[in-house]
Amino acid sequence: MATNQYNEPIYIPLEDVESEHCALIVEKGLAQVKGVESHKVELNNRRAAITVKDNAVVATAIKAVKDLGYGVPTITKTFPVLGMTCASCAGSAESMASYEPGVVNASVNFATGNLTVEYLPNITDPARIQKAVQSGGYDLLIADESTQQETLETIHAEKFQKLKVKTIWAVLLSLPVVAIGMFFMNIPYADPIMWLFSTPVVLWLGKDFFINAWKQAKHHSANMDTLVALSTGIAYIFSVFNMLFPDFWHQRGLHAHVYFEAASVVIAFILLGKLLEEKAKGNTSSAIKKLMGLQPKTVLVIQPDGTEVQVAIEAVSVGDTILVKPGEKIAVDGMVISGSSYVDESMLSGEPVPVLKKENEKVFAGTINQKGSFQFKAVKVGKETMLAQIIKMVQDAQGSKAPVQKLVDKIAGIFVPVVICIAILTFILWLTLGGENGLVQGLLAAVTVLVIACPCALGLATPTAIMVGVGKGAENGILIKDAESLELAKRLNAIVLDKTGTITEGRPQVTGIRWLNNDEQHKDILLSIERQSEHPLAEAVVNYFEGVSITEISLFDSITGKGAKANRGTETYFVGNKKLLADHHITIAEQLQQQADAWGQQSKTVIWFANSKEVLAVIAISDRIKETSRVAIKEMQDMGIDLYMLTGDNEATAKAIARQTGLKHYKAEVLPQHKADFVKALQQQGKIVAMVGDGINDSTALATADVSIAMGKGSDIAMDVAKMTIISSDLTKIPQAIRLSKQTVATIKQNLFWAFIYNLIGIPIAAGILYPISGFLLNPMIAGAAMALSSVSVVSNSLRLKWKK
């Protein structure tokens, strides 16, 4: 890890540190961070100055400040890394970026080829990070985000084309070398002909391996290029020596063999392996490409004078009026202002049935208009649209590392040096124990060990499966924020469901109202209080009393989890649940209580309207249970998962909904702040808990759960907090997500098993462990083919996920 060579202070900018008291708290927090040699909070400059020996301590110090509840303005960006050839390169590029002062966190994902870096903008910037990465022989693509993807795809396409040409030439030039080396050894000038054909393969087509290996050596590190360069270089130089000085061996009574075919074929096979791997890796990111292809490049904007002008998507501004014709894709998020049509939203929600869009309804970028035509006003453009957010979320998730990946990265980091040590040991053992052919066979065995070892299969095992899994989720309307939650979902054994908007439609409607003595004279007061309330049930009451005039009220007060109260003249009026009545000792007439009980049995929510003495009316509100909820609940319970419904409704309503949906566990009259406590209680019983919710009041419980799932039609806060989002708000997507998690984790385990087993079996056989038993020595050419195949087989296994149900 990087060291802070000059012990210069590192300045951490601070937010929300407003007083000496705050500064003191931060001081104490920094004092407890191991590795911080000195620290001082400069209140006037809003920053902390620390000196550290190790750059890694900066990230710990920033985390400590954030844990205390203060902000540190860092920037997180993702840049494509160019020039990486294997899993060890990812570790090398990551450490180069981490070495740069001011970098808080750096993580390179080999499968996506991206560096995600969090840095302090007052100390460093992308250009400096790029220089740090360049010093290791790699590069970063720093471009404007809108053009970055296109630039990157151009670079990848060019790289793939070059690789294709190189591979074809390498195979064509290697064929005659193999033919002579294997079958026509005794033709005149056999050795010079093989040298002539293999030289361009090794020194021209394979030159990148040697260049990259040299760059690595300059930084005292090694990667797959080092293994290829050493193995083919040794075989080539040894063969040239034997061709030019055969007498050296003849004098010792030995035959001067050449191994040009080994050197050239190994390079041909490795280039072929890389070509297949690049093609397969391109397929793993097809979900992102599909999402990116959903947005049209141009749109028809209606000018103020009524004329239609075709403009580029980048030129659309918030407030523009856009015309959508039949069959066209919708370009940005907006609100319909005239016309109506059915819109296919399946690409975002996974729901196959088109949705009717009329005036004042939202439309989303990437969805497809059907037969009608309409105009809409642009509300969110560019990076703000739902499609752009989904693309970013999927990219971030595909780039995130699963917990198991951290261990694999460590192994990949030491893999190449260990293999080089094994190759040297193999050579020494052959030299001492191998008799008169010990030197030649020792060299060949060492070359074979270097060729067969493959860190790439290890490096690709986890990220390729995560990429395909996250992409498959997105195609089915399940957005997964990070690899960790995808890995954890398979272990879920308890799911907590919020009622409103999750099990039910979330569109409550008044289905009945009973006034005391049929006296409706206070309905204007009831309407006036509910108009000021933010509760979803209040909206149902307001809609019910449409056309009734409001009256002036004062001292409105919203009482969380209970209802609201307000004054009209000298009298106080209350709207809310039974707890609110009990708190103020309000009496309930027998006729109203009986009506409330009857409604409760029908799974209707009951709210009360009262003055300071007695209840004036009881109101029944019903929220339809979603058609898919019963199926989903049965499916999850059949999977052995305990389901719990939490609701603020009374016991009778909760019991009726549980009965209708087949739920075994429920809890009624739960206040929003107690939802998180309920999740914690389940976790203390040793359960892995998921929380499913859609509202702002669910956000604390979502943050507390092991896996948090938000309903896409709910609040933005719930979606920000949640690790998974079900775009269509359909509960049947949750069992799908769990199955996807199981399939992805199974694929990761298979990949890791094969990658480890391949190396554990391949390396000893290459070293010659079978020679004393059966006289078998592995040919370096076969080793090259096996090594190329191992990476391709891992990526292909990940791609199988795409076709699983």
Side-chain angles (χ1 to χ4, degrees):
M1 218 358 160
T3 52
N4 187 11
Q5 295 157 322
Y6 310 108
N7 241 12
E8 290 175 357
I10 290 171
Y11 294 104
I12 299 174
L14 301 172
E15 287 176 339
D16 311 320
V17 178
E18 308 291 353
S19 64
E20 281 294 345
H21 175 65
C22 296
L24 205 64
I25 293 170
V26 175
E27 283 265 9
K28 279 184 182 170
L30 290 171
Q32 288 167 2
V33 177
K34 270 186 184 173
V36 172
E37 296 194 320
S38 69
H39 53 85
K40 178 175 72 183
V41 174
E42 301 172 1
L43 185 62
N44 293 340
N45 294 328
R46 295 273 176 93
R47 67 184 188 181
I50 62 170
T51 55
V52 293
K53 269 190 177 172
D54 189 338
N55 228 19
V57 179
V58 179
T60 318
I62 288 172
K63 187 179 183 298
V65 173
K66 285 181 175 176
D67 287 348
L68 292 167
Y70 300 105
V72 177
T74 58
I75 293 175
T76 303
K77 285 200 169 178
T78 301
F79 302 108
V81 184
L82 308 175
M84 286 199 299
T85 54
C86 73
S88 304
C89 298
S92 183
E94 192 173 294
S95 60
M96 294 291 168
S98 306
Y99 192 87
E100 174 63 25
V103 169
V104 180
N105 276 314
S107 167
V108 174
N109 185 312
F110 178 50
T112 58
N114 286 341
L115 161 72
T116 303
V117 63
E118 184 186 359
Y119 61 91
L120 294 165
N122 58 316
I123 299 176
T124 190
D125 55 42
R128 287 182 185 177
I129 298 165
Q130 183 184 29
K131 265 190 181 163
V133 173
Q134 282 170 341
S135 70
Y138 312 105
D139 201 357
L140 292 185
L141 175 65
I142 295 174
D144 177 49
E145 276 185 37
S146 59
T147 58
Q148 183 172 290
Q149 192 63 31
E150 286 173 26
T151 314
L152 184 63
E153 280 182 8
T154 310
I155 290 170
H156 278 327
E158 284 173 7
K159 182 185 165 189
F160 186 77
Q161 198 51 42
K162 274 185 189 168
L163 188 58
K164 197 173 174 181
V165 171
K166 273 186 180 179
T167 307
I168 292 166
W169 273 107
V171 171
L172 290 175
L173 290 169
S174 297
L175 284 173
V177 184
V178 175
I180 295 169
M182 291 286 198
F183 310 110
F184 307 107
M185 275 300 290
N186 300 320
I187 63 166
Y189 305 109
D191 291 358
I193 292 168
M194 285 197 286
W195 171 74
L196 197 69
F197 278 104
S198 62
T199 300
V201 177
V202 176
L203 302 182
W204 170 49
L205 301 168
K207 71 174 190 291
D208 287 347
F209 295 118
F210 295 95
I211 292 166
N212 293 336
W214 174 243
K215 284 177 181 173
Q216 291 293 319
K218 283 198 292 188
H219 287 94
H220 310 293
S221 66
N223 65 2
M224 193 195 84
D225 293 327
T226 314
L227 299 180
V228 177
L230 276 173
S231 56
T232 54
I234 290 166
Y236 180 77
I237 291 164
F238 183 63
S239 301
V240 170
F241 177 84
N242 288 1
M243 181 182 74
L244 297 177
F245 308 108
D247 290 347
F248 177 81
W249 298 105
H250 295 160
Q251 287 163 8
R252 287 161 178 76
L254 295 169
H255 185 66
H257 280 292
V258 293
Y259 298 97
F260 289 120
E261 78 278 12
S264 61
V265 169
V266 163
I267 282 176
F269 270 135
I270 289 168
L271 288 173
L272 180 64
K274 275 187 176 300
L275 187 76
L276 295 172
E277 188 186 305
E278 284 295 321
K279 194 163 178 59
K281 269 162 67 180
N283 288 337
T284 60
S285 59
S286 62
I288 281 279
K289 286 176 189 150
K290 266 189 208 167
L291 285 171
M292 286 177 164
L294 292 177
Q295 198 170 35
K297 297 278 184 273
T298 59
V299 291
L300 277 176
V301 174
I302 310 275
Q303 299 297 317
D305 60 2
T307 55
E308 295 173 14
V309 179
Q310 192 165 47
V311 299
I313 182 81
E314 294 80 18
V316 177
S317 309
V318 173
D320 281 355
T321 300
I322 295 165
L323 173 67
V324 183
K325 292 179 177 175
E328 285 185 348
K329 285 178 183 167
I330 293 164
V332 295
D333 292 2
M335 189 79 78
V336 177
I337 51 174
S338 72
S340 67
S341 178
Y342 280 92
V343 173
D344 177 5
E345 294 187 341
S346 61
M347 58 294 298
L348 297 187
S349 66
E351 293 298 307
V353 183
V355 185
L356 178 63
K357 299 287 179 180
K358 45 188 192 293
E359 250 180 81
N360 296 328
E361 296 220 348
K362 289 179 183 173
V363 289
F364 300 103
T367 56
I368 301 169
N369 180 29
Q370 301 283 290
K371 295 189 172 103
S373 179
F374 61 89
Q375 292 180 12
F376 75 94
K377 190 190 210 170
V379 175
K380 287 181 178 176
V381 300
K383 286 192 284 187
E384 300 302 312
T385 66
M386 186 175 169
L387 178 65
Q389 299 284 344
I390 289 172
I391 290 170
K392 187 176 183 333
M393 202 190 274
V394 173
Q395 278 178 325
D396 289 349
Q398 289 186 336
S400 66
K401 289 187 179 180
V404 68
Q405 182 67 17
K406 294 181 178 85
L407 170 71
V408 177
D409 284 351
K410 281 181 185 169
I411 295 167
I414 59 161
F415 186 86
V416 175
V418 167
V419 168
I420 292 170
C421 292
I422 292 170
I424 293 167
L425 183 66
T426 302
F427 178 66
I428 292 167
L429 285 172
W430 271 100
L431 203 58
T432 50
L433 308 173
E436 58 179 20
N437 284 334
L439 175 67
V440 177
Q441 286 179 328
L443 262 179
L444 271 183
V447 164
T448 311
V449 167
L450 292 170
V451 169
I452 204 163
C454 184
C456 290
L458 277 177
L460 289 166
T462 310
T464 50
I466 293 288
M467 278 178 81
V468 178
V470 169
K472 192 176 165 78
E475 285 171 14
N476 287 284
I478 304 162
L479 288 187
I480 298 157
K481 248 190 198 170
D482 61 19
E484 196 167 345
S485 48
L486 181 62
E487 203 177 313
L488 199 59
K490 76 175 276 282
R491 292 168 50 206
L492 287 176
N493 49 21
I495 297 178
V496 178
L497 302 166
D498 174 51
K499 187 206 79 172
T500 309
T502 302
I503 293 173
T504 63
E505 295 279 5
R507 289 195 292 272
Q509 293 169 326
V510 172
T511 56
I513 184 163
R514 175 90 180 262
W515 291 90
L516 181 66
N517 304 324
N518 294 325
D519 182 359
E520 296 185 16
Q521 64 169 326
H522 295 104
K523 65 183 176 190
D524 55 342
I525 299 169
L526 170 60
L527 175 62
S528 304
I529 295 173
E530 291 291 54
R531 275 191 71 146
Q532 291 197 33
S533 172
E534 291 173 355
H535 199 282
L537 296 182
E539 197 181 329
V541 176
V542 171
N543 292 340
Y544 181 78
F545 285 117
E546 203 174 337
V548 173
S549 55
I550 57 168
T551 185
E552 195 178 318
I553 55 168
S554 58
L555 302 175
F556 174 86
D557 183 19
S558 179
I559 304 153
T560 306
K562 291 176 185 175
K565 65 174 185 174
N567 283 18
R568 170 84 170 96
T570 55
E571 182 60 274
T572 305
Y573 291 90
F574 301 87
V575 184
N577 57 21
K578 220 168 181 179
K579 280 185 187 171
L580 188 66
L581 305 183
D583 289 351
H584 295 88
H585 312 291
I586 294 165
T587 58
I588 305 171
E590 183 63 30
Q591 60 186 39
L592 296 185
Q593 184 61 60
Q594 283 173 356
Q595 182 63 72
D597 292 343
W599 280 335
Q601 296 296 326
Q602 297 164 26
S603 77
K604 291 179 180 177
T605 303
V606 174
I607 61 170
W608 308 82
F609 172 52
N611 59 23
S612 55
K613 298 185 191 67
E614 61 181 351
V615 171
L616 302 174
V618 60
I619 303 145
I621 294 176
S622 178
D623 187 2
R624 258 185 52 215
I625 294 168
K626 290 179 194 166
E627 287 173 16
T628 54
S629 292
R630 290 182 189 88
V631 181
I633 286 165
K634 184 182 183 311
E635 197 175 344
M636 286 187 274
Q637 286 178 340
D638 289 346
M639 289 167 98
I641 297 167
D642 293 331
L643 296 186
Y644 302 84
M645 177 182 75
L646 300 185
T647 175
D649 286 339
N650 60 42
E651 178 70 22
T653 307
K655 191 175 180 180
I657 286 180
R659 189 180 64 246
Q660 287 175 32
T661 54
L663 273 165
K664 292 171 189 166
H665 312 283
Y666 66 89
K667 197 168 183 202
E669 297 180 14
V670 180
L671 296 176
Q673 60 268 35
H674 295 155
K675 287 180 182 176
D677 299 337
F678 185 79
V679 170
K680 274 185 200 156
L682 289 175
Q683 287 170 329
Q684 280 159 6
Q685 293 169 28
K687 292 183 185 291
I688 306 287
V689 186
M691 170 74 198
V692 186
D694 73 328
I696 294 169
N697 60 2
D698 299 319
S699 54
T700 321
L702 286 166
T704 310
D706 299 298
V707 176
S708 42
I709 304 170
M711 289 297 170
K713 290 179 182 167
S715 76
D716 289 347
I717 292 178
M719 281 185 267
D720 284 348
V721 172
K723 292 291 174 71
M724 287 190 192
T725 301
I726 308 294
I727 298 176
S728 64
S729 297
D730 177 355
L731 273 182
T732 54
K733 297 284 179 189
I734 296 173
Q736 280 184 26
I738 294 167
R739 278 195 295 274
L740 179 65
S741 168
K742 285 179 177 172
Q743 289 168 357
T744 306
V745 172
T747 305
I748 289 172
K749 284 179 178 170
Q750 289 159 11
N751 286 351
L752 287 173
F753 174 78
W754 285 116
F756 276 112
I757 282 292
Y758 163 78
N759 283 302
L760 285 171
I761 292 172
I763 292 172
I765 290 174
I769 201 164
L770 298 177
Y771 188 75
I773 307 158
S774 62
F776 176 76
L777 259 183
L778 188 66
N779 188 314
M781 291 189 288
I782 308 297
M787 185 254 186
L789 254 171
S790 65
S791 296
V792 178
S793 61
V794 162
V795 180
S796 305
N797 190 44
S798 294
L799 285 171
R800 278 177 52 238
L801 256 180
K802 272 188 174 183
W803 298 288
K804 285 189 179 175
K805 282 193 176 177

